[in-house]
Amino acid sequence: MNILFFSAQSYDREYFTRANLKTSYNLRFLESPLNVDNTALIKNEKVICVFVNDQVNAEVIAQLKEKGVELIALRCAGFNNVDLAAAAAAGIRVVRVPAYSPHAVAEHAVTMLLSLNRKIYKSYNRIRDNNFTLAGLEGFDLYGKTVGVIGTGNIGMVFCWIMLGFGCKVIAHDVYENKELVQAGVVYKSLQEVITEADVISLHCPLMPETKHMINRESIASMKKGVILVNTSRGGLIDTVAVVDALKKGHIGALAIDVYEQEEHLFFQDFSDTIIMDDVLSRLTTFPNVLITAHQGFFTREALTQIAEVTLNNIRCYSEKKELTNEVK
Ligand code: NAI
């Protein structure tokens, strides 16, 4: 079985090469992303392996079909970058890694929240400058605060458990209620109620047409003044321009994002010698109360191991004509 990897980084090579000791497939790694200009790079591979920012739209899928691709193996959970209807029409099947250490992403969300609230990113730099003062580093106790969680699937659920452990009041919104969380004290509410009542809001639902820009001018207007907003899910959940305005007015107290609407043009690449042309992101980086990481929520040893093993197992199931339990339709 020949498998072509797009957007491959050094860690993809490392973890997939190790996981492949069990399967011995022919793996070919390309740094290039998959997009409409790059499908010519596919030679004789029936399986391609893609990541979060590869563009798998209808045009690309038509080219994949011509190239004889039969399976798109996503090495991630989210599949908003794949036109599933076009894939189905082309007879190309799509598999993903539905859960790989939800703890990795949930813990990253908590890391960002704590760092932002307690200004750890500022004190790190201050101490290196021999400045041992505290003014400007004030935070607040999370204990007793209301934390709103939107989406309580694999990752949101772990985030809820951690926040409950901190002694927070956890309110949540999801299309399904998790009974275990309810028993533990999480109170499910409407989206509007969660947005209105929370001191901290953390997003853990998928990006779909109905969730795009769920955080917008209108919803921000009903948030508490000074709310902390955390997004480790997908950039498109937030209308970033509206959030920038709310940060300028002080309505949003602080923002932590691991994902960004236009991240496919920037994330996972080094532009340290270049002028960034994205003015919204550049504006965001000027705020002292905004913390940005470049989609690293998943980036733990445990998650990378899981991703590689589950992806290769998905491909093995396909090649052996077994049931594809991780298929997305
Ligand atoms: P999941 O599928 O286990 O959970 C998603 C939850 O969102 C489900 O409970 C679902 O019912 C809920 N949901 C769906 N529509 C909703 C709506 N309109 N309002 C509220 N809730 C809704 O997914 P999981 O594994 O928890 O991942 C969540 C998201 O995290 C993924 O969609 C992905 O975008 C993102 N992610 C980010 C990573 C990172 O490195 N930053 C890594 C992995 C995932």
Side-chain angles (χ1 to χ4, degrees), residues 142-203:
L142 277 169
Y143 177 82
K145 295 294 182 300
T146 302
V147 175
V149 183
I150 301 175
T152 53
N154 292 306
I155 296 168
M157 177 178 66
V158 176
F159 184 83
C160 287
W161 286 120
I162 299 172
M163 291 294 97
L164 287 169
F166 272 59
C168 298
K169 179 182 171 200
V170 181
I171 56 175
H173 174 71
D174 196 309
V175 283
Y176 305 105
E177 291 194 3
N178 177 320
K179 290 197 178 70
E180 249 184 282
L181 288 178
V182 172
Q183 274 170 5
V186 173
V187 179
Y188 279 88
K189 296 190 173 234
S190 69
L191 179 62
Q192 184 58 32
E193 285 170 325
V194 170
I195 281 175
T196 311
E197 294 173 22
D199 300 299
V200 172
I201 298 173
S202 194
L203 307 181

Side-chain angles (χ1 to χ4, degrees), residues 42-293:
I42 301 167
K43 289 184 182 153
N44 54 356
E45 290 92 359
K46 287 195 167 60
V47 180
I48 59 160
C49 184
V50 299
F51 196 47
V52 290
N53 292 327
D54 287 305
Q55 289 168 19
V56 201
N57 55 29
E59 203 179 343
V60 169
I61 285 168
Q63 295 183 7
L64 295 182
K65 186 171 169 60
E66 267 179 39
K67 288 273 175 186
V69 170
E70 295 174 6
L71 182 73
I72 298 167
L74 289 156
R75 52 181 191 278
C76 53
F79 47 87
N80 52 285
N81 53 332
V82 182
D83 187 329
L84 292 177
I92 299 176
R93 298 177 79 179
V94 182
V95 285
R96 66 170 181 144
V97 185
Y100 49 87
S101 182
H103 301 276
V105 186
E107 287 173 14
H108 189 70
V110 177
T111 304
M112 295 191 90
L113 170 59
L114 294 177
S115 178
L116 197 56
N117 176 30
R118 303 303 297 267
K119 320 280 190 300
I120 300 301
Y121 55 104
K122 285 189 175 187
S123 48
Y124 174 80
N125 287 326
R126 226 181 246 197
I127 299 290
R128 288 168 73 90
D129 205 23
N130 294 339
N131 176 353
F132 303 102
T133 63
L134 296 182
L137 301 182
E138 183 189 303
F140 59 81
D141 288 8
L142 277 169
Y143 177 82
K145 295 294 182 300
T146 302
V147 175
V149 183
I150 301 175
T152 53
N154 292 306
I155 296 168
M157 177 178 66
V158 176
F159 184 83
C160 287
W161 286 120
I162 299 172
M163 291 294 97
L164 287 169
F166 272 59
C168 298
K169 179 182 171 200
V170 181
I171 56 175
H173 174 71
D174 196 309
V175 283
Y176 305 105
E177 291 194 3
N178 177 320
K179 290 197 178 70
E180 249 184 282
L181 288 178
V182 172
Q183 274 170 5
V186 173
V187 179
Y188 279 88
K189 296 190 173 234
S190 69
L191 179 62
Q192 184 58 32
E193 285 170 325
V194 170
I195 281 175
T196 311
E197 294 173 22
D199 300 299
V200 172
I201 298 173
S202 194
L203 307 181
H204 300 287
C205 61
L207 175 63
M208 302 177 293
E210 54 272 41
T211 58
K212 188 173 164 56
H213 286 185
M214 64 166 20
I215 304 300
N216 51 39
R217 269 175 219 286
E218 208 184 337
S219 57
I220 292 168
S222 57
M223 289 178 189
K224 277 187 180 173
K225 190 171 184 322
V227 64
I228 295 188
L229 180 61
V230 181
N231 186 12
T232 56
S233 201
R234 283 292 179 268
L237 295 176
I238 287 182
D239 176 349
T240 318
V241 174
V243 167
V244 167
D245 284 348
L247 282 160
K248 285 199 272 197
K249 290 179 188 135
H251 194 95
I252 291 180
L255 172 74
I257 51 171
D258 185 47
V259 286
Y260 171 61
E261 274 189 281
Q262 306 297 333
E263 70 173 54
E264 68 267 28
H265 307 298
L266 298 162
F267 284 12
F268 311 120
Q269 298 168 71
D270 180 1
F271 290 107
S272 49
D273 281 341
T274 318
I275 307 295
I276 296 290
M277 302 309 281
D278 185 324
D279 290 350
V280 178
L281 185 75
S282 297
R283 184 66 178 96
L284 277 176
T285 59
T286 66
F287 289 100
N289 50 350
V290 171
L291 183 59
I292 305 174
T293 53

Side-chain angles (χ1 to χ4, degrees), residues 1 19-27:
M1 175 70 73
N20 192 39
L21 291 174
K22 292 180 201 153
T23 34
S24 302
Y25 293 138
N26 294 321
L27 313 185

